Amino acid sequence: MTIGLAKLTTLTTCFHVAEVVRENDYVNRRGLTTTTHDSFTLVNSDFYTVACTAKDGKTWSNTVAGIRRDEDVRASTGWDKVPADGLRVNYLMIGFDSLSRNTFIRTLPKSYAFLSDVLGAQVLEGYNIVGDGTPQQLIPILTGKTELELPETRRRMGKQAQYVNSYPFVWDDFKKNGYVTMFAEDQPHIGTFTYRLRGFDAPPTHHYMRPFFVSVYPEYKDHPKLCLRNTPRHKVFFRYIEDFMAEYRSEPKFAFAFHSELSHDDFNLVSVADNDLLALLTSLRDQGHLNDTILVLMSDHGHRFTTIRSTQQGKQEERLPFMALVLPQSVKDSYPSAVGNVRVNVHRLTTPLTSTLPCRTSSTFSGARLGQLTERGYPL
């Protein structure tokens, strides 16, 4: 991805650009540094700092995100590498922290209407949690197992703790089967795999957004509330999703983007993102990305800390998060029985252990089958 700066050159004399390169899940380092007057190409990182000097001597700086063009990734991915029995679709998951199904409907009404009425999403009305907190929901979705069944990764266990890379993540399956992968999360101080767990040794996916937020989080106090300069932070997050889908338009893709800032600590604040989420969904449709992509819009659980938890309604909603699936027409045409199963299960009890399987079977899919009650979770 090449970043163009030419439209600013009438006001500035030069741009000092430095890549933000991940050392580990908690520390970054300065990468390639250059000075330019028009554009530059991302080489080692998706993230970079830019400092501009105006002709009147004033300065401006910010940290910016994009998707670098990684030729090594392109060489190891492609539809020709996807198994012949795969669904041959992309997979995009967009999640929000602490949103019950009802809260999603109340606070994001435009996005919900677009999902339901325009995209024809199947919203699971009996989707239930299987534990307390974010990891207890996302780990089963992404691995098919609970934390207790996986290697020890808790930070407090010291040397006994392994890195979270030891988990059998679904994105590893996709990566082995020719997919480009991406994982984005916006709250580095309470990250799903870094707050209580040890985090990742190597980057878990081809594109990994944590280094960006590790870089900018200490600077939040220098920016307007919820913004980076004049851009709302959730729009930076949404744009990273769009850039990923656009940069790898012709390659098979798996992406999981989980946003927390607007919804984790506030019951209603996420409503400020409704128009922008609607714009993201509309863009994904208009750009044709949803023609060959399974889209999942979901949350981990309902609110756990707000005053609504003191009510009966709040206690119920905490256990009933949002989960919606949008299936491309190609899947509907090729696998009508599987689609019928999803529709039937809209009104049944489902859990993160159930929802992991459509995700995991996207790269290799043998068709719909009758679920075995002896299995803890089976495909929707």
Side-chain angles (χ1 to χ4, degrees):
M1 183 174 185
T2 299
I3 309 301
L5 302 172
K7 65 181 180 180
L8 299 178
T9 55
T10 57
L11 302 176
T12 60
T13 57
C14 63
F15 303 91
H16 301 284
V17 182
E19 291 181 331
V20 176
V21 179
R22 176 186 182 273
E23 280 285 316
N24 55 51
D25 262 351
Y26 306 93
V27 178
N28 296 322
R29 63 175 173 83
R30 180 183 289 262
L32 179 67
T33 302
T34 187
T35 299
T36 181
H37 294 280
D38 48 19
S39 65
F40 65 96
T41 301
L42 301 178
V43 178
N44 302 306
S45 174
D46 287 347
F47 319 113
Y48 50 96
T49 60
V50 180
C52 306
T53 303
K55 293 180 179 180
D56 62 3
K58 293 181 179 180
T59 60
W60 177 93
S61 63
N62 200 5
T63 303
V64 188
I67 297 290
R68 71 190 184 281
R69 185 179 181 87
D70 192 320
E71 296 302 334
D72 290 336
V73 170
R74 292 180 185 276
S76 63
T77 60
W79 289 110
D80 59 318
K81 298 176 177 62
V82 175
D85 59 347
L87 281 181
R88 303 190 71 79
V89 294
N90 305 305
Y91 206 97
L92 172 60
M93 299 178 67
I94 302 174
F96 289 89
D97 203 330
S98 304
L99 283 186
S100 69
R101 182 171 66 89
N102 283 349
T103 300
F104 190 104
I105 295 171
R106 287 192 297 261
T107 57
L108 300 167
K110 296 178 183 177
S111 300
Y112 180 76
F114 187 80
L115 271 171
S116 301
D117 301 336
V118 179
L119 298 183
Q122 301 297 318
V123 181
L124 304 186
E125 298 180 2
Y127 186 64
N128 212 308
I129 64 174
V130 292
D132 186 34
T134 300
Q136 280 61 43
Q137 320 316 318
L138 297 192
I139 289 174
I141 288 176
L142 295 171
T143 71
K145 298 180 181 295
T146 67
E147 183 182 340
L148 294 176
E149 298 170 313
L150 294 168
E152 177 63 75
T153 61
R154 290 174 295 173
R155 294 170 63 182
R156 67 182 179 86
M157 300 305 292
K159 294 182 179 180
Q160 297 180 40
Q162 298 184 38
Y163 288 103
V164 187
N165 302 70
S166 59
Y167 288 1
F169 283 106
V170 67
W171 51 57
D172 292 329
D173 292 346
F174 278 96
K175 193 183 300 184
K176 292 175 184 176
N177 287 312
Y179 278 69
V180 185
T181 57
M182 183 269 276
F183 174 42
E185 196 174 24
D186 71 321
Q187 291 284 72
H189 61 298
I190 54 171
T192 302
F193 303 106
T194 52
Y195 177 64
R196 186 173 54 80
L197 307 181
R198 192 177 180 184
F200 296 96
D201 181 10
T205 51
H206 292 118
H207 293 272
Y208 182 41
M209 201 176 189
R210 180 174 172 82
F212 174 79
F213 284 105
V214 167
S215 178
V216 300
Y217 180 72
E219 303 171 0
Y220 281 2
K221 63 183 183 301
D222 301 324
H223 297 262
K225 184 178 181 180
L226 300 175
C227 294
L228 290 176
R229 298 304 178 206
N230 63 343
T231 304
R233 287 194 286 268
H234 70 271
K235 292 186 70 172
V236 176
F237 188 81
F238 290 168
R239 187 180 304 144
Y240 191 72
I241 299 172
E242 285 194 88
D243 287 347
F244 175 78
M245 298 297 288
E247 185 67 23
Y248 293 103
R249 174 175 288 277
S250 301
E251 286 81 16
K253 300 171 285 295
F254 170 87
F256 179 40
F258 191 73
H259 182 84
S260 299
E261 183 173 26
L262 294 177
S263 54
H264 184 270
D265 298 324
D266 191 286
F267 192 65
N268 296 307
L269 187 58
V270 71
S271 62
V272 304
D274 193 17
N275 287 335
D276 298 319
L277 179 58
L278 173 62
L280 171 62
L281 296 174
T282 302
S283 175
L284 291 172
R285 181 202 61 178
D286 293 347
Q287 295 298 319
H289 295 302
L290 299 185
N291 293 341
D292 56 359
T293 298
I294 294 177
L295 171 66
V296 176
L297 204 60
M298 48 80 70
S299 66
D300 50 354
H301 49 72
H303 271 281
R304 300 169 60 221
F305 303 112
T306 58
T307 54
I308 195 174
R309 283 287 284 110
S310 63
T311 68
Q312 184 67 31
Q313 178 77 9
K315 292 177 182 178
Q316 292 178 342
E317 288 198 19
E318 190 267 336
R319 293 161 172 79
L320 296 169
F322 185 80
M323 176 65 73
L325 293 84
V326 178
L327 303 176
Q329 191 61 46
S330 60
V331 171
K332 295 177 182 178
D333 293 341
S334 300
Y335 303 99
S337 296
V339 176
N341 289 347
V342 172
R343 293 195 180 106
V344 169
N345 286 312
V346 161
H347 305 291
R348 292 178 174 173
L349 174 66
T350 52
T351 72
L353 288 163
T354 308
S355 61
T356 185
L357 291 174
C359 176
R360 189 172 292 277
T361 56
S362 291
S363 57
T364 56
F365 184 69
S366 57
R369 64 178 177 83
L370 183 65
Q372 299 296 316
L373 295 181
T374 55
E375 298 177 8
R376 182 175 52 192
Y378 45 88
L380 292 172

